[in-house]
């Protein structure tokens, strides 16, 4: 933990920006460069920055979920996206799409996004688990 | 885009590339020579920002906007890298004496 006013002020500005950009990268990954992995890395960088400026305890409080639990949750989501296709009688991890009408517009909901959420959670959880334990040791 | 096909514009882009290469080389020499750790950290930081400039110039020269995202990510993460280095210098400074090869 660094007691620096400059760093803490900069973190206040950068933290929401990094998280927003991480979600943007995550959602755009469907058709353009981006995706769960790089989005997760940017999201983890946001929390790492917060952990450096304000300490790991506050960062853990902000995250609410334990990083190790996050890895398991991500793997569960990824597995879920595969199991859906098994119930439809197609091979494991086949993409399935639903087209519900939301507020008068057709929405394309698919199982690949569920897999991507899993990747996102695993990357954030793993990176933060490593960074937090390294920070707490030093 | 019409401006991309102009000769003076292409010459300008080439000139920018040469200038960026030169500054990258100078920053790299500073990274190698040191003489202190803070000098090297600042040189690494500078290299990251020159790379961002490279990506931005390439985006302008080709008109492919997808590269700009890499520049944004690099700009946000380079700051984090410098911060982590500063933290490391702070910790080493506490455990070692200041005259010991920092």
């Amino acid at each position: 933990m660094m007691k620096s006013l400059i760093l803490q002020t900069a973190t206040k500005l950068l933290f929401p920006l990094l998280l927003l950009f991480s979600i943007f990268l995550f959602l755009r990954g469907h058709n353009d460069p981006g995706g769960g992995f790089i989005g997760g890395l940017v999201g983890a960088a946001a929390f790492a920055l917060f952990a450096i400026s304000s300490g790991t305890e506050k960062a853990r409080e902000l995250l609410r979920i334990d990083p190790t639990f996050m890895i398991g949750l991500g793997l569960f989501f990824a597995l879920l996206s595969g199991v859906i296709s098994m119930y439809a009688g197609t091979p494991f991890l086949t993409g399935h799409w639903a087209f519900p009408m939301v507020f008068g517009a057709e929405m394309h909901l698919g199982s690949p996004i569920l897999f991507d959420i899993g990747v996102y959670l695993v990357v954030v959880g793993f990176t933060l688990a490593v960074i937090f334990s390294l920070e707490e040791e030093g | 885009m019409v401006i991309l096909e102009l000769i003076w514009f292409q010459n300008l882009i080439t000139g920018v590339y040469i200038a960026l290469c030169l500054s990258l080389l100078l920053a790299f020499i500073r990274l190698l020579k040191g003489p202190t750790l803070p000098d090297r950290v600042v040189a690494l930081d500078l290299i990251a920002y020159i790379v961002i400039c490279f990506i931005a110039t390439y985006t302008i020269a080709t008109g492919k906007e997808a590269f700009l995202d890499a520049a944004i990510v690099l700009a946000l993460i380079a700051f984090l890298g410098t911060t982590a280095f500063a933290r490391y210098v702070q910790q080493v400074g506490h455990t070692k004496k200041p005259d010991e090869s920092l």
Side-chain angles (χ1 to χ4, degrees):
Chain A
M1 180 182 166
M2 291 168 78
K3 279 179 183 169
S4 158
L5 185 65
I6 298 168
L7 184 61
Q8 279 176 357
T9 315
T11 307
K12 265 181 203 162
L13 287 171
L14 273 173
F15 184 74
L17 198 68
L18 275 164
L19 277 187
L20 194 70
F21 195 65
S22 129
I23 293 166
F24 164 73
L25 275 176
F26 167 66
L27 289 177
R28 208 190 55 162
H30 212 72
N31 295 320
D32 284 307
F37 189 83
I38 183 69
L41 276 181
V42 174
F47 279 98
L49 191 64
F50 191 82
I52 289 173
S53 69
S54 310
T56 48
E57 280 169 30
K58 279 190 178 173
R60 273 184 199 277
E61 256 174 50
L62 194 68
L63 195 63
R64 283 157 200 243
I65 316 168
D66 188 52
T68 330
F69 180 71
M70 225 168 175
I71 300 173
L73 201 69
L75 284 173
F76 176 74
F77 270 117
L79 188 70
L80 205 67
S81 77
V83 168
I84 287 171
S85 61
M86 277 168 72
Y87 277 103
T90 47
F92 189 63
L93 282 174
T94 310
H96 282 279
W97 298 84
F99 305 98
M101 297 294 276
V102 180
F103 299 117
E106 199 180 49
M107 206 174 152
H108 293 231
L109 274 180
S111 62
I113 191 81
L114 210 58
F115 186 79
D116 235 18
I117 290 173
V119 173
Y120 186 95
L121 287 176
V122 168
V123 170
V124 170
F126 169 74
T127 315
L128 286 181
V130 170
I131 287 173
F132 284 171
S133 52
L134 277 176
E135 277 277 314
E136 276 156 11
E137 197 177 298
Chain B
M1 273 200 253
V2 185
I3 194 167
L4 291 181
E5 288 151 17
L6 294 175
I7 291 294
W8 67 265
F9 185 75
Q10 286 178 351
N11 288 339
L12 182 72
I13 291 288
T14 314
V16 170
Y17 277 145
I18 292 167
L20 283 174
C21 278
L22 263 176
S23 47
L24 198 60
L25 190 74
L26 289 173
F28 185 65
I29 290 169
R30 176 52 67 201
L31 181 69
L32 283 182
K33 278 181 75 178
T36 61
L37 186 59
D39 280 331
R40 293 199 168 102
V41 173
V42 171
L44 263 181
D45 202 32
L46 184 61
I47 285 171
Y49 291 119
I50 293 168
V51 169
I52 294 166
C53 294
F54 255 115
I55 297 169
T57 315
Y58 189 76
T59 311
I60 293 168
T62 57
K64 288 173 188 162
E65 286 165 17
F67 291 109
L68 216 52
D69 295 336
I72 297 172
V73 172
L74 204 56
L76 291 170
I77 303 299
F79 171 74
L80 181 67
T82 317
T83 314
F85 253 123
R87 198 180 172 288
Y88 169 70
V89 172
Q90 208 178 33
Q91 276 190 342
V92 170
H94 277 303
T95 49
K96 277 185 186 173
K97 284 172 190 170
D99 55 344
E100 260 185 76
S101 67
L102 243 179

